[in-house]
Amino acid sequence: MGILSKFNRILNNHPMMTQMIVSGGIVATGDIIAQYIEEKQKWDKIRTFRFATLVGCCIVPFQSAWYRYLQCVQHSNLHLKVAKRLAYDQLVFSPLLNILILTGLPLAEGYSWKRSIEIMKEEWLDIFIDSLKLWPAVQIINFYFVPLNYRVLLIQFVGLVWSTYLSLKTSRKLQ
């Protein structure tokens, strides 16, 4: 049995836990890359742990539930079904997800609730606009071709680039 077969079996038997672990690892990698780009003299393991924990433990369960909800959005025309899912995802979920991340990261860094909200407000629009340059195309692929249990994982693999960007963007604000 190959590695992919074993992974598929684990994913099918334990989808949430598998998505959480893999996603946390991907986000941790994105943060490590961001720290390398920032030319940090020493790897800030706590920063990486906070980012990976926020995404793996808080965001992924939310994403997983969201994709299961979107699976219920139906239409007899495949293209309209995908368009509806994409519209819900980009106009409802994406703004909320950005709020969660942009508020959660400063809170995890020890900032006050008030300061975390201020940071989120300062960064939200730029990050949302930038997200619209990447995520609609990824989600079209996701909704047309990717089975439900793999959707969060595809998002997190593409999210390696996105989490590197988010880590760079938010770490500048949190210094």
Side-chain angles (χ1 to χ4, degrees):
M1 181 181 286
I3 265 183
L4 189 56
S5 297
K6 287 179 184 178
F7 178 79
N8 283 331
R9 191 181 76 241
I10 293 168
L11 180 63
N12 287 330
N13 292 335
H14 309 284
M16 181 65 69
M17 186 57 66
T18 305
Q19 292 169 0
M20 291 169 69
I21 291 168
V22 171
S23 298
I26 291 168
V27 168
T29 302
D31 183 65
I32 292 166
I33 292 168
Q35 289 186 46
Y36 178 78
I37 291 168
E38 294 169 339
E39 298 179 353
K40 294 274 186 192
Q41 297 301 316
K42 186 178 178 202
W43 173 32
D44 184 347
K45 295 176 182 103
I46 299 299
R47 174 179 137 176
T48 300
F49 177 77
R50 285 182 185 129
F51 198 14
T53 301
L54 174 69
V55 170
C57 295
C58 301
I59 303 299
V60 168
F62 188 48
Q63 282 179 315
S64 185
W66 178 249
Y67 284 119
R68 293 191 192 297
Y69 166 76
L70 284 180
Q71 194 67 14
C72 298
V73 174
Q74 296 296 321
H75 196 282
S76 58
N77 180 300
L78 174 63
H79 304 303
L80 289 177
K81 177 172 70 175
V82 169
K84 284 173 68 174
R85 289 178 179 176
L86 182 63
Y88 287 146
D89 188 66
Q90 295 304 299
L91 299 175
V92 176
F93 185 73
S94 179
L96 292 174
L97 182 64
N98 288 331
I99 288 169
L100 283 173
I101 291 172
L102 293 173
T103 305
L105 284 174
L107 285 171
E109 291 283 332
Y111 286 83
S112 69
W113 177 254
K114 181 180 178 190
R115 181 64 184 132
S116 296
I117 295 295
E118 289 170 359
I119 291 169
M120 182 274 299
K121 287 179 179 178
E122 292 167 9
E123 296 295 329
W124 184 86
L125 185 59
D126 284 345
I127 288 174
F128 179 66
I129 289 169
D130 287 346
S131 77
L132 293 175
K133 297 172 187 173
L134 172 67
W135 292 111
V138 172
Q139 292 296 50
I140 287 171
I141 292 166
N142 220 2
F143 297 142
Y144 270 112
F145 304 111
V146 179
L148 180 61
N149 274 350
Y150 290 87
R151 289 184 184 158
V152 168
L153 298 177
L154 172 65
I155 292 305
Q156 294 307 325
F157 277 110
V158 174
L160 176 59
V161 173
W162 185 250
S163 63
T164 301
Y165 161 79
L166 278 179
S167 184
L168 286 168
K169 185 106 171 138
T170 58
S171 70
R172 290 185 188 123
K173 190 58 78 174
L174 296 176
Q175 294 176 2

